[in-house]
Amino acid sequence: MRIRNPQSEIRNRLGYKMSQGILLFIEQRDGVLNRTSLEALVAAQGIASQTGEKVAAVVLGKSVSSVAAEIAAKKLEAVYTIEDDKLAEYTPDGYVSASKQAIEQLAPRLVIFSHTYQVRDFAPRLAAQLGKTFVTDCVGFRVDGGDVIFTRQVFQGKLNTDVRVISAPPALASFQAGSYRADKAEAGDSPCPINALSVNLSDTQIRTQPEAKFQEAKQAVDLTQAPLIVAVGRGIKSQENIELVQKLADALGAEIAASRPICDNEWLPMDRQIGSSGQTVAPKLYLAVGISGAIQHVVGMKNSQTIVAINKDPEAPIFDIADYGIVGDLFEIVPALTAEVLKVKSES
Amino acid sequence: MNIVVCLKQVPKKDSILRIGGDQKWIDYRDISYEMSEADAYALEEALRQKEKHGGEVIVISLGPERVRQSIKEALAKGADRAIHLQDPLFDSATDADGIARAIAAALKDEKYDLIFTGLQSDDYGFAQVGLIIAERLGLPSATIVMEVQPEDAAVRVKRELESGWFQWVKMSMPALLTIQSGINQLRYATLKGIMAAKKKEIREVKAADLGLTAEDLKPGQVVDRAYLPEKTKRTEIIEGKPSEAAAKLVEKLRFEARVF
Ligand SMILES: Cc1cc2nc3c(=O)[nH]c(=O)nc-3n(C[C@H](O)[C@H](O)[C@H](O)COP(=O)(O)OP(=O)(O)OC[C@H]3O[C@@H](n4cnc5c(N)ncnc54)[C@H](O)[C@@H]3O)c2cc1C
Ligand SMILES: Nc1ncnc2c1ncn2[C@@H]1O[C@H](COP(=O)(O)O)[C@@H](O)[C@H]1O
């Protein structure tokens, strides 16, 4: 995306020169920093180092001093805090109103988020209220003569696009979890200043009432402890065929797991789902059968020691993270593999 | 209870995607289409709510002539009527803003209690169109919804959060909800439904009907280039007939990866 160079040196209300700057949105819940904010920080610092800009961060909530102090240790120009009773619980209305006022006061040219469920829930509204464009779910960036070009996946990761902003700043952009490593966030030489921003939420109507967060009934299987996992995806086509994969899992002595559509269809129970809305696993072997490798699945298994993919599509994104792959029809390969495993096991 | 469902038609999941001549998007030749997955669930949820509470289900879709196929499928499944936003001018609405602006304008005079969209489309995947519609129509919203419970003039919805967490959120209606796949089990259209659909209204709406010009629909972001992702990891592809490939893989798993 190309962010046009702003007409230099517009000073905002606070007198900070943020017209060239990057504002990073920090997500916290109950005073605990969301780690993906640090990943987004790496992206922000990377852009800033190439454009010669500064990065400031903003944290919203009711009492955010410890999160602010934690983030102030990073290489940042400043951390801004917004504390208000109306922000005690996350609501889209409260967050849109507070962050809109922050953006108006600080006048950055780029606002960066991590593409979390919370950001999905309010940032598009924020962009619409500001009348600004929002480049969502980016996996990379490149700076081209002062312009930032964002990389975003389309068609569930099957294609990449280079996206350029052609509207007036500020622009908003969010980065996909896992695109950058949180431990690469640069620390500052000394803690940066923490400033309270005052925003007025008295007129802000909070139209949604959130209840307490909860987890569904306890998981019957704990896949995180399984050393070997065979996971099945939509390529299996019907519930009857699951047995084919179950047999392979049994032969290996592995647990069976699944991508989301399999659990959505109730072909396997929810507690076998791997991914951002399921379990996160890192077994010795993760064998993915008929799974395309969408990011929401991959985040739940990419740290597995050895990944094997069986898929008929040589371009399937799963092959990008697999150590071994077989391109072909799972209905031929899986039975052959089961037979081979049984053979080898009976011999040894 | 009247529910509007925003329905997007997208290339079928297992389409072989080729980059188009301009290197900016895909080549649409030889592609077949279907409803975006989450939208199919949104439609199903609307039909179930209608079966419980009465009212009307209205589908709205922006896209070229081919989109009628998906609209007809929705009508055959039980939607009551449809709005089809079709205009060469809408082709320039290539970002979430332009699409949402047109849909919101077309819904301005509709009477609805709820608007459902998918949480994100399977092609562009902006995860934005729903919320921008909500903002433009001044509606409260909730995203990634896994259960919908209307209660008088309010609606209580179960939102999915990360890693198996959920949260109920309540708001007054009208409201906009973005629906997550798996909220229900999809139905198939019946022959009777397909016949009944032939008599249902599909209203065509042009940009001019909404007072929208090319300038209004101009995107704020554009795709410079579309391309196949570069492989970052070297996958060892195991070749051969199924039985040969299986034998080679098992050997590698035993002696290279030492997983069993
Ligand atoms: C907010 C959000 C949260 C999500 N959470 C999760 C989550 O926790 N877990 C999850 O898995 N997904 C999740 N998803 C969904 C995710 O985006 C994908 O839609 C999903 O992972 C796709 O599952 P799949 O790979 O099984 O199906 P598809 O993408 O349809 O892939 C099927 C694959 O099977 C292959 N295939 C077909 N037939 C054969 C054959 N005969 N032989 C060999 N291969 C074959 C195809 O080439 C294709 O690659 C989430 C999405 C969103 C938006
Ligand atoms: N062209 C369209 N016509 C109708 N609905 C759409 C269209 N584009 C997006 N939507 C709706 O908005 C949702 C989110 O899309 P997106 O913001 O592209 O991820 C989709 O699931 C649809 O419900």
Side-chain angles (χ1 to χ4, degrees), chain A residues 184-248:
Chain A
K184 292 269 157 62
E186 247 184 284
D189 297 331
S190 58
C192 75
I194 299 175
N195 306 320
L197 268 193
S198 78
V199 301
N200 183 355
L201 298 181
S202 56
D203 294 337
T204 302
Q205 257 199 58
I206 308 290
R207 293 172 294 179
T208 55
Q209 294 110 50
E211 298 173 23
K213 301 180 177 72
F214 65 97
Q215 278 184 300
E216 301 280 63
K218 251 329 326 107
Q219 317 264 329
V221 276
D222 181 8
L223 294 176
T224 61
Q225 300 305 315
L228 308 175
I229 290 179
V230 176
V232 56
R234 192 169 5 219
I236 199 70
K237 299 211 166 54
S238 75
Q239 181 160 28
E240 300 78 71
N241 297 335
I242 299 269
E243 201 191 330
L244 212 66
V245 179
Q246 182 69 59
K247 279 189 182 144
L248 174 58

Side-chain angles (χ1 to χ4, degrees), chain A residues 36-322:
Chain A
T36 61
S37 293
L38 295 177
E39 299 176 10
L41 171 62
V42 176
Q45 288 178 333
I47 294 172
S49 74
Q50 293 184 45
T51 58
E53 288 174 299
K54 297 262 165 54
V55 183
V58 61
V59 200
L60 280 55
K62 186 175 150 74
S63 45
V64 297
S65 51
S66 70
V67 174
E70 187 178 349
I71 204 80
K74 303 296 176 191
K75 188 178 168 202
L76 287 167
E77 186 188 35
V79 173
Y80 296 97
T81 57
I82 301 179
E83 296 186 313
D84 195 291
D85 283 346
K86 279 195 174 163
L87 302 174
E89 276 260 33
Y90 162 77
T91 61
D93 288 331
Y95 268 52
V96 166
S97 181
S99 37
K100 178 165 180 262
Q101 293 178 54
I103 291 168
E104 285 167 352
Q105 290 182 30
L106 298 170
R109 73 155 181 160
L110 182 59
V111 186
I112 288 183
F113 302 83
S114 170
H115 195 65
T116 61
Y117 281 40
Q118 183 180 96
V119 166
R120 284 165 167 274
D121 196 56
F122 83 92
R125 294 197 76 128
L126 168 66
Q129 264 198 26
L130 290 164
K132 297 299 170 189
T133 202
F134 182 20
V135 189
T136 44
D137 210 9
C138 302
V139 295
F141 71 87
R142 160 166 76 77
V143 174
D144 179 19
D147 300 330
V148 187
I149 313 284
F150 291 104
T151 307
R152 63 183 300 274
Q153 301 177 316
V154 291
F155 294 99
Q156 304 209 307
K158 287 192 205 135
L159 293 186
N160 275 359
T161 56
D162 285 348
V163 176
R164 175 162 65 89
V165 166
I166 54 171
S167 49
L172 285 68
S174 63
F175 282 88
Q176 190 171 88
S179 302
Y180 294 90
R181 290 186 43 176
D183 57 9
K184 292 269 157 62
E186 247 184 284
D189 297 331
S190 58
C192 75
I194 299 175
N195 306 320
L197 268 193
S198 78
V199 301
N200 183 355
L201 298 181
S202 56
D203 294 337
T204 302
Q205 257 199 58
I206 308 290
R207 293 172 294 179
T208 55
Q209 294 110 50
E211 298 173 23
K213 301 180 177 72
F214 65 97
Q215 278 184 300
E216 301 280 63
K218 251 329 326 107
Q219 317 264 329
V221 276
D222 181 8
L223 294 176
T224 61
Q225 300 305 315
L228 308 175
I229 290 179
V230 176
V232 56
R234 192 169 5 219
I236 199 70
K237 299 211 166 54
S238 75
Q239 181 160 28
E240 300 78 71
N241 297 335
I242 299 269
E243 201 191 330
L244 212 66
V245 179
Q246 182 69 59
K247 279 189 182 144
L248 174 58
D250 291 345
L252 282 164
E255 285 288 348
I256 193 166
S259 66
R260 179 165 186 134
I262 301 299
C263 303
D264 282 351
N265 281 319
E266 296 176 355
W267 296 350
L268 283 174
M270 245 297 270
D271 52 14
R272 303 238 164 217
Q273 181 175 315
I274 303 297
S276 59
S277 46
Q279 299 200 43
T280 300
V281 297
K284 261 164 69 184
L285 172 67
Y286 192 91
L287 201 162
V289 179
I291 291 178
S292 64
I295 181 64
Q296 295 87 1
H297 185 79
V298 167
V299 292
M301 45 68 74
K302 64 173 182 212
N303 291 326
S304 305
Q305 246 174 60
T306 299
I307 298 171
V308 179
I310 298 173
N311 198 301
K312 67 170 184 191
D313 176 8
E315 303 293 343
I318 189 78
F319 286 124
D320 198 29
I321 57 155

Side-chain angles (χ1 to χ4, degrees), chain A residues 120-121 158 164 264 319 324, chain B residues 13 143 185 224 235 256:
Chain A
R120 284 165 167 274
D121 196 56
K158 287 192 205 135
R164 175 162 65 89
D264 282 351
F319 286 124
Y324 303 104
Chain B
K13 274 249 159 47
T143 53
Q185 296 297 308
D224 260 2
T235 303
E256 272 179 25

Side-chain angles (χ1 to χ4, degrees), chain B residues 70-111:
Chain B
S70 295
I71 291 178
K72 283 182 184 158
E73 186 187 334
L75 294 174
K77 285 183 168 183
D80 297 282
R81 61 187 170 90
I83 303 169
H84 182 191
L85 303 183
Q86 188 189 2
D87 195 311
L89 265 194
F90 292 142
D91 297 347
S92 54
T94 51
D95 69 351
D97 237 12
I99 297 168
R101 181 185 280 247
I103 294 175
L107 293 177
K108 216 170 69 221
D109 300 319
E110 288 287 340
K111 290 263 171 293

